[in-house]
Amino acid sequence: DGGITQSPKYLFRKEGQNVTLSCEQNLNHDAMYWYRQDPGQGLRLIYYSQIVNDFQKGDIAEGYSVSREKKESFPLTVTSAQKNPTAFYLCASSIFGGRQEQYFGPGTRLTVT
Amino acid sequence: AQSVTQLGSHVSVSEGALVLLRCNYSSSVPPYLFWYVQYPNQGLQLLLKYTSAATLVKGINGFEAEFKKSETSFHLTKPSAHMSDAAEYFCAVRGGYNQGGKLIFGQGTELSVKP
């Protein structure tokens, strides 16, 4: 089955620790995206990547970092510099350009205390 | 720049009643519009999309939406609500090429269905 996997589903960390969220897709999509979801605020774009070894900041990139070493993988690191990291994180992918929709993974809920 | 406004953060209907979720957009280019559904603690699932073909778009689970350029709207409807339709719904417009094709989402509308 083709799709997007995110792991883990739930993640708990202490304040001051970096944490990396995994996102893998087997849809052969070029573009991948990371969104953050908070109650009542919809989804906000953190980072996106259109091709391997290249990525761009989204609307709320501060305190986050990404890498895109393989087409299938787009991990997100939430650093200790992120002031309010507790949220639901969603990864998505799409065919680059055109009218194509984005496909979403199941999400990772990160809780930092 | 593109933007989306969803009118009503919560909508409640009775089972069997019409569902109407409102979405208005702003776009400097011909828009590509999407409706997604999200069940609790899950990812988003595409309901339907408008990509400049037919203005009335049919999606999954009996939902449809009509693109009205004059009203800059893309409202989502379903003739008869089912209990399983209770979820959060997001309208989105695709950003321009220089925005990496990102999706710009509305705030979401939570749909409740009463028995």
PDB file of all heavy atoms in Angstrom, chain B residues 1 12 28 39 42 47-48 50-51 57 75-76 99 104 112:
ATOM      1  N   ALA B   1      -1.826  37.601  -2.652  1.00  0.00           N
ATOM      2  CA  ALA B   1      -1.599  36.423  -1.812  1.00  0.00           C
ATOM      3  C   ALA B   1      -2.917  35.699  -1.607  1.00  0.00           C
ATOM      4  O   ALA B   1      -3.986  36.289  -1.636  1.00  0.00           O
ATOM      5  CB  ALA B   1      -1.005  36.839  -0.479  1.00  0.00           C
ATOM      6  N   SER B  12     -23.616  22.563  13.929  1.00  0.00           N
ATOM      7  CA  SER B  12     -24.323  21.405  14.448  1.00  0.00           C
ATOM      8  C   SER B  12     -25.573  21.161  13.610  1.00  0.00           C
ATOM      9  O   SER B  12     -26.335  22.098  13.351  1.00  0.00           O
ATOM     10  CB  SER B  12     -24.703  21.623  15.916  1.00  0.00           C
ATOM     11  OG  SER B  12     -25.360  20.490  16.443  1.00  0.00           O
ATOM     12  N   SER B  28      -4.979  35.757  -5.992  1.00  0.00           N
ATOM     13  CA  SER B  28      -4.574  36.660  -7.069  1.00  0.00           C
ATOM     14  C   SER B  28      -4.425  35.922  -8.394  1.00  0.00           C
ATOM     15  O   SER B  28      -4.213  36.544  -9.425  1.00  0.00           O
ATOM     16  CB  SER B  28      -3.248  37.341  -6.705  1.00  0.00           C
ATOM     17  OG  SER B  28      -2.276  36.362  -6.398  1.00  0.00           O
ATOM     18  N   TYR B  39     -10.598  13.394  11.272  1.00  0.00           N
ATOM     19  CA  TYR B  39     -11.187  12.760  12.440  1.00  0.00           C
ATOM     20  C   TYR B  39     -10.209  12.901  13.598  1.00  0.00           C
ATOM     21  O   TYR B  39      -9.005  13.082  13.378  1.00  0.00           O
ATOM     22  CB  TYR B  39     -11.529  11.303  12.142  1.00  0.00           C
ATOM     23  CG  TYR B  39     -12.548  11.180  11.041  1.00  0.00           C
ATOM     24  CD1 TYR B  39     -12.152  10.910   9.731  1.00  0.00           C
ATOM     25  CD2 TYR B  39     -13.898  11.380  11.288  1.00  0.00           C
ATOM     26  CE1 TYR B  39     -13.088  10.841   8.706  1.00  0.00           C
ATOM     27  CE2 TYR B  39     -14.834  11.304  10.266  1.00  0.00           C
ATOM     28  CZ  TYR B  39     -14.412  11.042   8.985  1.00  0.00           C
ATOM     29  OH  TYR B  39     -15.339  10.985   7.973  1.00  0.00           O
ATOM     30  N   GLN B  42      -6.176  12.129  13.888  1.00  0.00           N
ATOM     31  CA  GLN B  42      -5.777  11.520  12.625  1.00  0.00           C
ATOM     32  C   GLN B  42      -5.288  12.585  11.657  1.00  0.00           C
ATOM     33  O   GLN B  42      -5.423  13.787  11.909  1.00  0.00           O
ATOM     34  CB  GLN B  42      -6.949  10.753  12.003  1.00  0.00           C
ATOM     35  CG  GLN B  42      -7.393   9.552  12.819  1.00  0.00           C
ATOM     36  CD  GLN B  42      -8.438   8.737  12.098  1.00  0.00           C
ATOM     37  OE1 GLN B  42      -8.527   8.754  10.862  1.00  0.00           O
ATOM     38  NE2 GLN B  42      -9.233   7.996  12.850  1.00  0.00           N
ATOM     39  N   LEU B  47     -11.422  15.305   0.641  1.00  0.00           N
ATOM     40  CA  LEU B  47     -12.825  15.076   0.279  1.00  0.00           C
ATOM     41  C   LEU B  47     -13.053  15.352  -1.202  1.00  0.00           C
ATOM     42  O   LEU B  47     -13.723  14.585  -1.892  1.00  0.00           O
ATOM     43  CB  LEU B  47     -13.730  16.007   1.082  1.00  0.00           C
ATOM     44  CG  LEU B  47     -14.089  15.614   2.505  1.00  0.00           C
ATOM     45  CD1 LEU B  47     -14.910  16.726   3.134  1.00  0.00           C
ATOM     46  CD2 LEU B  47     -14.854  14.308   2.541  1.00  0.00           C
ATOM     47  N   LEU B  48     -12.556  16.494  -1.656  1.00  0.00           N
ATOM     48  CA  LEU B  48     -12.733  16.870  -3.055  1.00  0.00           C
ATOM     49  C   LEU B  48     -11.805  18.038  -3.379  1.00  0.00           C
ATOM     50  O   LEU B  48     -11.231  18.664  -2.492  1.00  0.00           O
ATOM     51  CB  LEU B  48     -14.190  17.251  -3.340  1.00  0.00           C
ATOM     52  CG  LEU B  48     -14.888  18.228  -2.389  1.00  0.00           C
ATOM     53  CD1 LEU B  48     -14.522  19.664  -2.675  1.00  0.00           C
ATOM     54  CD2 LEU B  48     -16.410  18.050  -2.474  1.00  0.00           C
ATOM     55  N   TYR B  50     -11.138  21.356  -6.486  1.00  0.00           N
ATOM     56  CA  TYR B  50     -11.501  22.134  -7.663  1.00  0.00           C
ATOM     57  C   TYR B  50     -10.214  22.582  -8.343  1.00  0.00           C
ATOM     58  O   TYR B  50      -9.358  23.221  -7.716  1.00  0.00           O
ATOM     59  CB  TYR B  50     -12.331  23.360  -7.279  1.00  0.00           C
ATOM     60  CG  TYR B  50     -12.472  24.325  -8.425  1.00  0.00           C
ATOM     61  CD1 TYR B  50     -13.354  24.058  -9.465  1.00  0.00           C
ATOM     62  CD2 TYR B  50     -11.700  25.478  -8.483  1.00  0.00           C
ATOM     63  CE1 TYR B  50     -13.466  24.924 -10.536  1.00  0.00           C
ATOM     64  CE2 TYR B  50     -11.804  26.349  -9.551  1.00  0.00           C
ATOM     65  CZ  TYR B  50     -12.687  26.067 -10.570  1.00  0.00           C
ATOM     66  OH  TYR B  50     -12.785  26.921 -11.634  1.00  0.00           O
ATOM     67  N   THR B  51     -10.104  22.242  -9.629  1.00  0.00           N
ATOM     68  CA  THR B  51      -8.895  22.616 -10.355  1.00  0.00           C
ATOM     69  C   THR B  51      -9.234  23.215 -11.710  1.00  0.00           C
ATOM     70  O   THR B  51      -8.589  22.926 -12.712  1.00  0.00           O
ATOM     71  CB  THR B  51      -7.975  21.403 -10.522  1.00  0.00           C
ATOM     72  OG1 THR B  51      -8.702  20.361 -11.207  1.00  0.00           O
ATOM     73  CG2 THR B  51      -7.480  20.878  -9.199  1.00  0.00           C
ATOM     74  N   VAL B  57     -18.252  20.191  -7.956  1.00  0.00           N
ATOM     75  CA  VAL B  57     -17.299  19.105  -7.748  1.00  0.00           C
ATOM     76  C   VAL B  57     -17.895  18.089  -6.788  1.00  0.00           C
ATOM     77  O   VAL B  57     -18.373  18.452  -5.708  1.00  0.00           O
ATOM     78  CB  VAL B  57     -15.979  19.638  -7.155  1.00  0.00           C
ATOM     79  CG1 VAL B  57     -14.991  18.498  -6.972  1.00  0.00           C
ATOM     80  CG2 VAL B  57     -15.395  20.723  -8.048  1.00  0.00           C
ATOM     81  N   HIS B  75     -18.300  26.522  -1.039  1.00  0.00           N
ATOM     82  CA  HIS B  75     -19.003  25.918   0.092  1.00  0.00           C
ATOM     83  C   HIS B  75     -19.178  24.417  -0.088  1.00  0.00           C
ATOM     84  O   HIS B  75     -19.438  23.932  -1.193  1.00  0.00           O
ATOM     85  CB  HIS B  75     -20.376  26.565   0.265  1.00  0.00           C
ATOM     86  CG  HIS B  75     -20.324  28.049   0.506  1.00  0.00           C
ATOM     87  ND1 HIS B  75     -19.262  28.684   1.109  1.00  0.00           N
ATOM     88  CD2 HIS B  75     -21.236  29.022   0.196  1.00  0.00           C
ATOM     89  CE1 HIS B  75     -19.490  29.975   1.179  1.00  0.00           C
ATOM     90  NE2 HIS B  75     -20.680  30.212   0.622  1.00  0.00           N
ATOM     91  N   LEU B  76     -19.094  23.701   1.009  1.00  0.00           N
ATOM     92  CA  LEU B  76     -19.214  22.244   1.018  1.00  0.00           C
ATOM     93  C   LEU B  76     -20.616  21.856   1.468  1.00  0.00           C
ATOM     94  O   LEU B  76     -21.115  22.401   2.464  1.00  0.00           O
ATOM     95  CB  LEU B  76     -18.179  21.651   1.977  1.00  0.00           C
ATOM     96  CG  LEU B  76     -18.128  20.131   2.091  1.00  0.00           C
ATOM     97  CD1 LEU B  76     -17.557  19.516   0.827  1.00  0.00           C
ATOM     98  CD2 LEU B  76     -17.297  19.714   3.305  1.00  0.00           C
ATOM     99  N   GLN B  99       5.442  29.947  -3.886  1.00  0.00           N
ATOM    100  CA  GLN B  99       5.197  29.542  -2.502  1.00  0.00           C
ATOM    101  C   GLN B  99       5.354  28.036  -2.349  1.00  0.00           C
ATOM    102  O   GLN B  99       4.925  27.458  -1.356  1.00  0.00           O
ATOM    103  CB  GLN B  99       3.794  29.969  -2.059  1.00  0.00           C
ATOM    104  CG  GLN B  99       3.600  31.473  -2.053  1.00  0.00           C
ATOM    105  CD  GLN B  99       2.190  31.837  -1.617  1.00  0.00           C
ATOM    106  OE1 GLN B  99       1.230  31.570  -2.321  1.00  0.00           O
ATOM    107  NE2 GLN B  99       2.070  32.439  -0.450  1.00  0.00           N
ATOM    108  N   ILE B 104      -2.801  26.678   1.843  1.00  0.00           N
ATOM    109  CA  ILE B 104      -3.164  27.680   2.839  1.00  0.00           C
ATOM    110  C   ILE B 104      -4.532  27.295   3.359  1.00  0.00           C
ATOM    111  O   ILE B 104      -5.504  27.247   2.586  1.00  0.00           O
ATOM    112  CB  ILE B 104      -3.167  29.077   2.215  1.00  0.00           C
ATOM    113  CG1 ILE B 104      -1.758  29.397   1.717  1.00  0.00           C
ATOM    114  CG2 ILE B 104      -3.634  30.128   3.223  1.00  0.00           C
ATOM    115  CD1 ILE B 104      -1.725  30.357   0.584  1.00  0.00           C
ATOM    116  N   SER B 112     -20.784  18.794  14.162  1.00  0.00           N
ATOM    117  CA  SER B 112     -21.430  17.856  15.086  1.00  0.00           C
ATOM    118  C   SER B 112     -22.734  17.390  14.462  1.00  0.00           C
ATOM    119  O   SER B 112     -23.453  18.185  13.842  1.00  0.00           O
ATOM    120  CB  SER B 112     -21.732  18.535  16.424  1.00  0.00           C
ATOM    121  OG  SER B 112     -20.555  19.024  17.016  1.00  0.00           O
TER     122      SER B 112
END
